[in-house]
Amino acid sequence: MSSTHDIQAHGTHTQDRFQWRDTGLGFSPVTIALHWIVAALVLAIIGIEIALVASPNVELAKVLNLLGTILFPISAYRFWARVTSWHPLPLGTPNPVEVIVSRSVATALALAMVLLPVAAWLAKSAAGQLVEVPGGWIIPSPMHPNAQAAQVFDVLFKIGATPFVLGLALHIFGACKNHFVLKNDALKRMLGKRVEL
């Protein structure tokens, strides 16, 4: 009996230790780490975009390009992981409509963070702008300059960016509601804490 219990405990410990994908019981360490990396990247990108509108700066624009370049592959992996893994069960007994809305928003945000950097890259390339990053590196352009295509990609970027910012605000609102109003451990779970469902 004791040995069986030890084996089960060891198996659970091993499973927890090497949990690289999300399960119905919790987020993987990879998901948690990438969530906060992406959050930092997105907030930095939004901050730089605002700064560039106020005062154009070539070097700051290069940093923006670099952050977008880093964001794309991370977001592509996160979206793939999101749609191919079990999403952890919600804490407590939440309203089913809220669960559907929050998961839909989170999935849409994950997809937007894949598509928006691509749209920005295509818009700049079609406009004939060099996509430079710090260090003198230039990201290759996938197309020749085309004013009509540049206008289309720019419109697509703006169409996607507006609901993205609104969705991001809703996501942050939901996190704050869980933490300050409902007082559950949803935010703590995204900080790596093991919580009871």
Side-chain angles (χ1 to χ4, degrees):
M1 182 77 174
S2 177
S3 61
T4 303
H5 177 73
D6 290 342
I7 290 172
Q8 290 176 340
H10 177 71
T12 302
H13 176 70
T14 303
Q15 191 175 25
D16 289 345
R17 203 172 157 188
F18 296 101
Q19 180 194 339
W20 294 104
R21 301 290 299 278
D22 297 346
T23 69
L25 299 177
F27 294 103
S28 73
V30 174
T31 294
I32 293 171
L34 292 182
H35 174 272
W36 294 109
I37 289 171
V38 166
L41 285 170
V42 168
L43 292 176
I45 287 170
I46 292 173
I48 292 174
E49 288 277 13
I50 294 171
L52 287 174
V53 169
S55 177
N57 182 299
V58 175
E59 293 305 314
L60 201 54
K62 291 179 182 179
V63 174
L64 178 65
N65 292 336
L66 176 62
L67 295 182
T69 303
I70 295 170
L71 179 65
F72 171 72
I74 296 175
S75 297
Y77 170 79
R78 286 186 73 235
F79 180 71
W80 170 81
R82 176 92 190 189
V83 298
T84 59
S85 302
W86 291 102
H87 194 71
L89 295 170
L91 300 177
T93 54
N95 182 320
V97 174
E98 287 186 1
V99 173
I100 293 171
V101 170
S102 66
R103 291 190 173 182
S104 298
V105 168
T107 302
L109 287 175
L111 178 59
M113 285 183 282
V114 177
L115 299 179
L116 287 175
V118 174
W121 178 44
L122 293 175
K124 290 179 180 179
S125 297
Q129 300 175 16
L130 294 177
V131 183
E132 295 184 74
V133 297
W137 296 89
I138 296 175
I139 299 174
S141 174
M143 64 176 65
H144 296 294
N146 184 311
Q148 188 173 3
Q151 188 173 9
V152 170
F153 289 128
D154 187 57
V155 169
L156 289 175
F157 177 81
K158 289 176 180 174
I159 289 173
T162 302
F164 171 77
V165 172
L166 294 175
L168 183 62
L170 186 60
H171 184 66
I172 293 172
F173 170 78
C176 292
K177 179 183 176 182
N178 276 306
H179 189 68
F180 296 109
V181 179
L182 302 179
K183 298 186 184 302
N184 61 34
D185 289 334
L187 183 58
K188 291 180 181 178
R189 178 161 71 172
M190 283 310 300
L191 292 170
K193 179 184 176 183
R194 287 180 59 87
V195 300
E196 296 296 328
L197 297 177

